[in-house]
Amino acid sequence: MELPGFLYGYYERRLMRSLDRTSIPGHIGVMVDGNRRWARQFNAPTSQGHRAGADKIHEFLGWCRDLGVRVVTLYMLSTDNMSRSSEELDELTAIIAETLDRLDEDPTVSVHAMGAPELLPDHLAERLARLSSKPSPSEPLHVNVAVGYGGRREIVDAVRELLRDAVARGEDIAALAERLDVEDISRFLYTAGQPDPDLVIRTSGEQRLSGFLMWQSAYSEFYFCEALWPAFRKVDFLRALRDYAGRNRRFGA
C-alpha cells in the first residue's frame, strides 16, 4: 500500500535516523531488473520502461553519494540480453548511451566499463572506452557499468589474460598450474584492484544472480526487493541498508 506523501517523508526520515552510518557498505552491486514489467503495468512501450530505469539510476547514485557509498556496480545489459529483438536492443543501447553521457558530465563520478565491447554497437563500445580512460576525480563515487556482461565470460576472460601474461613472461604453463591461486585470477577480473561488493541488491522479486559478479560476490550479502527497478524508492534502499547493517558477516568462517 502506498503511503501518503507526508507519511512517506516521515518514514524515510525515520529510516535515515536509524541507520548505523558505520555499517554503510563500501561497494554495492545492483541488478537493475524490472524495466519491461514496469512498462507493461502502464501499457507503455518497453522503451519507456528502460528510460524510467535510466532515470532511476541517476537518482540511486545520488542516494549512494549522500550516504558515503564509494563504489557502485550496475548490471545494465547482460550477454543474455543480447538475444532480444534488434528493435528493443537499438532502443536500449541508445538509452544506455544517453545514461553514460550524463555520467560523463558528472564531475563527482568516475566510470569503469565491464563486459565484452565486441558484442556492442560501435557507438556504445566507444563511449564506454572513452569514459573508462578518463582520469578519476578526487573523492569520486566510482561506478562500474556492466554492459554486455556475463559472469562466466568474465572468469574465462580472466583466465585467458592470466595465461597470456604467463606466456609473455616466459613462464612454464605447467608451473603456473601448480602455483595458481585465487589471487592470480582476481588480478585479471574486470574489477581488478577494487574491493568486492559488500551488498548485492536485486529488484523485481527475482532471487537469482543471473551471472552477476559470480566470482566477486562469494562473500557478499544479498538483498532481494519486490519493487520493479523504476519504482525502487529511497525507503526501499534504506531498508536494504538497515537489513545489511543487522547481519553478522562471517566471510565463510
Side-chain angles (χ1 to χ4, degrees):
M1 183 177 69
E2 189 71 25
L3 292 173
F6 74 94
L7 286 179
Y8 175 88
Y10 169 77
Y11 181 47
E12 181 183 311
R13 291 190 296 273
R14 183 179 175 185
L15 282 172
M16 283 287 288
R17 287 194 300 269
S18 70
L19 273 185
D20 179 358
R21 296 304 183 100
T22 66
S23 297
I24 298 295
H27 181 176
I28 297 179
V30 189
M31 306 175 72
V32 294
D33 192 20
N35 294 342
R36 296 198 293 178
R37 276 173 281 172
W38 182 87
R40 284 199 295 269
Q41 285 183 348
F42 300 98
N43 294 318
T46 299
S47 59
Q48 188 170 325
H50 291 316
R51 196 165 296 280
D55 291 338
K56 183 60 64 175
I57 283 173
H58 298 286
E59 188 178 5
F60 177 79
L61 293 179
W63 302 337
C64 290
R65 188 186 300 111
D66 293 344
L67 288 165
V69 178
R70 300 303 303 274
V71 182
V72 175
T73 299
L74 299 166
Y75 201 8
M76 298 176 69
L77 182 69
S78 73
T79 50
D80 293 335
N81 295 154
M82 303 303 294
S83 63
R84 293 180 181 177
S85 70
S86 58
E87 180 182 1
E88 182 179 353
L89 278 176
D90 287 345
E91 293 173 338
L92 179 52
T93 55
I95 291 167
I96 291 173
E98 292 172 12
T99 302
L100 296 177
D101 287 343
R102 288 178 65 181
L103 292 175
D104 193 18
E105 294 168 1
D106 189 338
T108 68
V109 169
S110 61
V111 179
H112 172 69
M114 296 169 47
E118 65 272 17
L119 299 179
L120 304 174
D122 289 343
H123 73 93
L124 186 54
E126 289 166 4
R127 271 183 173 86
L128 289 165
R130 186 174 67 250
L131 272 174
S132 292
S133 66
K134 285 181 59 178
S136 298
S138 61
E139 302 282 331
L141 172 64
H142 185 82
V143 181
N144 298 311
V145 287
V147 181
Y149 173 87
R152 289 178 174 175
R153 183 180 183 122
E154 178 182 18
I155 295 170
V156 169
D157 284 349
V159 173
R160 183 181 291 121
E161 289 304 311
L162 171 66
L163 293 174
R164 286 173 177 163
D165 178 71
V167 170
R169 290 184 292 101
E171 183 173 1
D172 180 71
I173 298 301
L176 171 63
E178 288 299 316
R179 69 161 182 82
L180 188 67
D181 63 19
V182 168
E183 291 306 315
D184 288 320
I185 294 176
S186 293
R187 288 190 299 112
F188 292 94
L189 294 173
Y190 299 153
T191 56
Q194 299 183 32
D196 289 339
D198 301 295
L199 174 65
V200 175
I201 298 172
R202 180 165 190 165
T203 57
S204 84
E206 302 292 347
Q207 298 188 24
R208 60 180 183 274
L209 273 181
S210 298
F212 184 48
L213 300 177
M214 294 170 61
W215 182 282
Q216 298 92 328
S217 66
Y219 297 110
S220 301
E221 299 295 325
F222 295 91
Y223 185 85
F224 300 104
C225 177
E226 291 295 325
L228 302 176
W229 175 248
F232 188 72
R233 305 162 302 171
K234 190 173 183 179
V235 294
D236 298 314
F237 183 45
L238 295 175
R239 285 170 177 160
L241 297 181
R242 180 182 63 184
D243 183 83
Y244 169 83
R247 299 187 189 183
N248 180 18
R249 301 189 70 194
R250 298 180 180 275
F251 298 96

